[in-house]
């Protein structure tokens, strides 16, 4: 399997150098009991596949809230809390949860609230209130699709700002997210792209540049 091959490649790396995260998608479950059972079962499957040497995951994430409503979401979160208190995950998180759905978790939780809510967030979302909304629950936003549809790699404003710092449009777009106090989930099959994504700690966007990017919605492209 792909994961078996990955485990072999990771064999020479210390566990402390890795951050292992799993995801569970039970958004289509039907009621509180079914959502609890399905979420617990699917999460245990992730743990079996991903945990190294029988250890715990660093993060376990619920991909989607149950569409059946608050009771169903409460069932999902009950399963996650049991895995957390059982020492199988260092942190538990959610994705695509609205403030109302986080309120549901808050109303029904017994141990802990989500550490992270993974949401689409990128330049173009400058007026989005999700960061403040989630902070009210002690939850940090993590940006997925941090380059939008990928078009920010060619965005004119990001490119122009990047030229001042010797950085690419991508690096500017990612830096804007970090300075909005949002973490980033990024991926690539290109090692150099991953290194470039990390190479954003040696510059800071000015208040004026942040304001420009906050207001930036109609993206224009460098061709």
């Amino acid at each position: 399997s792909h994961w078996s091959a990955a485990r072999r490649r990771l064999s020479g790396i210390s566990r402390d150098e890795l951050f292992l995260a799993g995801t569970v998608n039970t958004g289509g479950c039907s009621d509180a009991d079914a959502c609890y059972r399905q979420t617990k079962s699917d999460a245990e499957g992730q743990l079996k596949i991903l945990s190294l040497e029988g250890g715990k995951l660093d993060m376990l994430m619920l991909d989607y809230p149950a569409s059946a409503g608050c009771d169903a979401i409460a069932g999902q979160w009950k399963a996650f809390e049991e895995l957390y208190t059982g020492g199988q995950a260092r942190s538990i998180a959610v994705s695509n949860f609205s403030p109302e759905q986080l309120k549901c978790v808050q109303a029904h939780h017994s141990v802990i609230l989500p550490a992270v809510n993974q949401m689409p967030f990128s330049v173009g979302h400058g007026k989005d209130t999700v960061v403040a909304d989630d902070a009210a629950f002690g939850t940090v936003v993590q940006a997925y699709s941090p380059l939008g549809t990928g078009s920010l790699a060619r965005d004119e404003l990001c490119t122009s700002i990047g030229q001042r710092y010797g950085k690419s449009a991508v690096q500017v777009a990612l830096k804007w997210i970090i300075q909005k106090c949002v973490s980033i989930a990024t991926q690539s099959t290109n090692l150099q792209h991953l290194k470039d994504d990390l190479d954003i700690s040696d510059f800071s966007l000015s208040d004026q540049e942040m304001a420009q990017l906050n207001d930036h919605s109609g993206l224009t492209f460098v061709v």
Side-chain angles (χ1 to χ4, degrees):
S1 70
H2 292 303
W3 179 237
S4 295
R7 288 169 75 106
R8 287 194 294 272
R9 289 196 297 272
L10 294 172
S11 61
I13 300 175
S14 167
R15 174 64 179 87
D16 294 340
E17 297 180 63
L18 301 172
F19 187 93
L20 293 179
T23 62
V24 175
N25 183 0
T26 55
C29 58
S30 58
D31 56 44
D33 184 57
C35 288
Y36 166 77
R37 287 186 284 104
Q38 185 180 343
T39 302
K40 189 75 174 288
S41 175
D42 288 3
E44 287 171 344
Q46 284 281 287
L47 287 159
K48 184 177 180 180
I49 293 169
L50 295 174
S51 60
L52 295 175
E53 300 174 355
K56 63 180 70 176
L57 293 181
D58 295 296
M59 180 179 287
L60 186 63
M61 180 173 287
L62 187 61
D63 267 350
Y64 288 95
S67 58
C70 185
D71 286 346
I73 291 171
Q76 291 177 304
W77 195 248
K78 178 183 176 183
F80 261 42
E81 284 194 314
E82 288 183 4
L83 293 163
Y84 174 77
T85 56
Q88 292 170 285
R90 297 180 192 279
S91 61
I92 48 178
V94 296
S95 183
N96 301 297
F97 271 55
S98 69
E100 284 302 312
Q101 289 158 338
L102 288 173
K103 285 180 184 177
C104 170
V105 173
Q106 184 180 53
H108 291 87
H109 84 288
S110 59
V111 179
I112 194 170
L113 290 171
V116 164
N117 184 19
Q118 196 176 86
M119 296 288 286
F121 191 79
S122 62
V123 172
H125 288 252
K127 304 301 182 184
D128 197 326
T129 62
V130 65
V131 178
D133 292 342
D134 287 13
F137 301 95
T139 299
V140 174
V141 175
Q142 184 176 82
Y144 71 78
S145 300
L147 301 179
T149 60
S151 55
L152 285 167
R154 297 182 292 111
D155 178 67
E156 189 174 291
L157 178 59
C158 290
T159 298
S160 174
I161 292 172
Q163 288 172 346
R164 302 168 195 165
Y165 301 101
K167 297 294 181 179
S168 68
V170 168
Q171 289 169 314
V172 168
L174 296 179
K175 188 67 174 186
W176 176 84
I177 294 173
I178 293 296
Q179 289 187 214
K180 296 288 283 186
C181 298
V182 173
S183 65
I184 300 170
T186 184
Q187 61 183 356
S188 177
T189 58
N190 185 305
L191 179 59
Q192 187 57 51
H193 288 173
L194 292 172
K195 290 179 177 179
D196 290 343
D197 289 349
L198 291 172
D199 186 24
I200 58 173
S201 61
D202 58 350
F203 78 108
S204 295
L205 299 171
S206 69
D207 291 344
Q208 181 181 6
E209 290 163 342
M210 286 295 292
Q212 286 180 293
L213 292 166
N214 288 345
D215 293 336
H216 193 42
S217 56
L219 306 183
T220 54
F221 307 120
V222 176
V223 294

